[in-house]
Amino acid sequence: MFYMLMNAFRNCACFLVLCNCIGHVWICIILVDDNIQNYKGMAHSAIGQRLVACLLNVSEARRKELVETVAMAAVFDSNGGRREGTTVLNIFNDQDYNRSVITIVASIDCIKEAVLSACEQACRLIDMSVYAGGHPTMGAVDLVPLYPLGEEVGLGDCAKEARAVAAGLTERVSGTSAFFFGWADSPQHRGLAQRRKEMGWFRKNPDTGASRPDVGPLPQKRYGLTGVGASPYVMNCNVTIDTQDLALGRSIAMSIRESTPGGIPGVQVLALPHEGAVEIACNVESMKGNPPSQVGERGELWPTFSIGGQPYCHAPASLITARVAELAGRQGVATKGTALVGFTPYECRGLAEKALSLGIAEFWKELRRLHM
């Protein structure tokens, strides 16, 4: 049955849930649109050559209307007019974490205003002084990463726009502040994990007032501190194990982390309590070069794409899921499921091209409001 499901739905754009069945990991796939296969599978077009994606992380999920208001600010101006060349592909809500990820895609010429307007709206609506949630965070707008999708956009272009977003936010919303990471952190290009560690993001109760931002004043309690940067695409893959043993989760996280010998390249990971279980929350960073010899659970090659003519790749979600299942299984613990936040780079570009060619600004609604 598992492989019948896989063959039937292998072109679906979103893997929404992974669940267990008698010790085996079954992938439960929801086909969210009758034409989604066409959206994903269409050949890349001229409209996609200058596209940039932003997976905007905001510290709110329990008030979905608020999060949708933030998303709409990316695609509509203050007068209700549609922003050309901009779409919101997806909204991922996690109520336990009280965190949402909004996938905004626009041309490089439009991305700054789209993202900046969404950030501005989020800062107006979210008060970090009363925030409560299970995920580490430091800001009402916690993370603003820009990723190049098209051949005519480079990391330097995204870095320029990221710095402009940070500067614009601190100008438009007095009291906001930001730090840079990746290519926006010039000339050091420090990664997100390193910058978060320097800012105290991983601490249980971070003291944002003690952080030294790159732009803006010392962080204020209402807005907190925002990370803004540019990098090759980062996918989020979260695997839940059926236990409340956080120590076991941390051991598994350490085993698959890129920095551990034998870990999965490109994987940055935390173990967090989540809905009565433990989630192995992975940032799956893309790496320059050809894929390594490791393959996914069903023999899939690592997904590949290019930036400026250079090859990049990232670990497949099935490889991460299988590794977590193996490590947890050694301790008699099963996996409960896997959630992917957003899309692969190829899927993201393909969906954005289709949405923009059809003039669909609120594309997440085409996905029948399947928010997670």
Side-chain angles (χ1 to χ4, degrees), residues 2 18-27 297 325 334-335:
F2 168 79
L18 287 156
C19 58
N20 283 338
C21 179
I22 318 177
H24 298 284
V25 179
W26 280 36
I27 299 187
E297 181 187 14
T335 56

Side-chain angles (χ1 to χ4, degrees), residues 10-353:
R10 67 194 309 164
N11 290 323
C12 179
C14 299
F15 291 93
L16 297 182
V17 181
L18 287 156
C19 58
N20 283 338
C21 179
I22 318 177
H24 298 284
V25 179
W26 280 36
I27 299 187
C28 301
I29 307 169
I30 300 174
L31 189 62
V32 293
D33 189 282
D34 292 340
N35 295 317
I36 202 74
Q37 295 176 359
N38 295 330
Y39 290 0
K40 176 188 170 186
M42 66 180 292
H44 286 328
S45 64
I47 200 171
Q49 293 177 359
R50 293 180 60 76
L51 289 182
V52 176
C54 175
L55 272 63
L56 183 69
N57 287 233
V58 299
S59 298
E60 179 59 63
R62 296 166 187 167
R63 296 176 288 173
K64 287 190 176 182
E65 296 81 5
L66 184 156
V67 178
E68 291 195 5
T69 299
V70 173
M72 290 175 66
V75 291
F76 297 103
D77 62 29
S78 58
N79 296 319
R82 180 172 174 254
R83 300 186 195 280
E84 294 299 320
T86 306
T87 184
V88 171
L89 294 183
N90 190 44
I91 301 176
F92 182 103
N93 302 119
D94 191 305
Q95 295 194 23
D96 197 46
Y97 286 156
N98 201 15
R99 186 179 185 87
S100 297
V101 181
I102 303 169
T103 303
I104 304 167
V105 181
S107 70
I108 187 67
D109 308 297
C110 303
I111 193 69
K112 182 188 80 170
E113 190 57 37
V115 172
L116 183 53
S117 296
C119 291
E120 188 177 3
Q121 185 72 273
C123 287
R124 280 201 292 261
L125 297 174
I126 301 170
D127 185 350
M128 286 301 290
S129 67
V130 296
Y131 170 81
H135 195 285
T137 185
M138 293 184 76
V141 177
D142 192 52
L143 185 65
V144 185
L146 299 188
Y147 307 131
L149 295 178
E151 297 87 352
E152 295 182 9
V153 180
L155 289 164
D157 300 316
C158 288
K160 178 182 176 181
E161 297 305 314
R163 290 191 290 266
V165 167
L169 181 61
T170 58
E171 290 171 3
R172 293 189 188 184
V173 184
S174 178
T176 56
S177 52
F179 68 88
F180 294 129
F181 66 89
W183 268 253
D185 175 43
S186 181
Q188 295 173 278
H189 295 175
R190 289 168 289 182
L192 176 61
Q194 180 182 346
R195 299 278 14 237
R196 279 175 161 173
K197 185 175 181 180
E198 292 169 355
M199 294 294 158
W201 187 88
F202 294 103
R203 296 173 190 157
K204 186 173 182 180
N205 296 300
D207 181 8
T208 55
S211 303
R212 294 294 181 268
D214 295 315
V215 183
L218 291 178
Q220 298 183 10
K221 287 185 178 181
R222 174 175 173 79
Y223 304 116
L225 180 64
T226 299
V228 183
S231 75
Y233 200 95
V234 176
M235 186 178 70
N236 302 107
C237 174
N238 302 333
V239 185
T240 302
I241 57 175
D242 194 9
T243 181
Q244 295 184 9
D245 186 348
L246 190 57
L248 172 60
R250 287 171 175 163
S251 174
I252 292 172
M254 181 176 292
S255 295
I256 69 171
R257 186 173 291 132
E258 177 185 47
S259 58
T260 300
I264 302 175
V267 170
Q268 308 294 331
V269 57
L270 291 173
L272 301 169
H274 187 254
E275 297 180 347
V278 173
E279 187 165 80
I280 312 302
C282 304
N283 277 0
V284 187
E285 297 179 348
S286 298
M287 303 174 301
K288 189 175 182 179
N290 295 316
S293 59
Q294 293 170 303
V295 296
E297 181 187 14
R298 296 171 304 282
E300 309 99 308
L301 297 176
W302 288 40
T304 60
F305 62 102
S306 65
I307 300 175
Q310 297 297 314
Y312 283 79
C313 63
H314 63 83
S318 62
L319 173 63
I320 297 167
T321 300
R323 186 71 63 83
V324 171
E326 176 190 358
L327 293 168
R330 293 176 187 175
Q331 305 302 319
V333 174
T335 56
K336 294 184 69 176
T338 294
L340 302 190
V341 182
F343 315 95
T344 68
Y346 184 84
E347 290 168 346
C348 189
R349 175 171 170 176
L351 289 168
E353 287 179 342

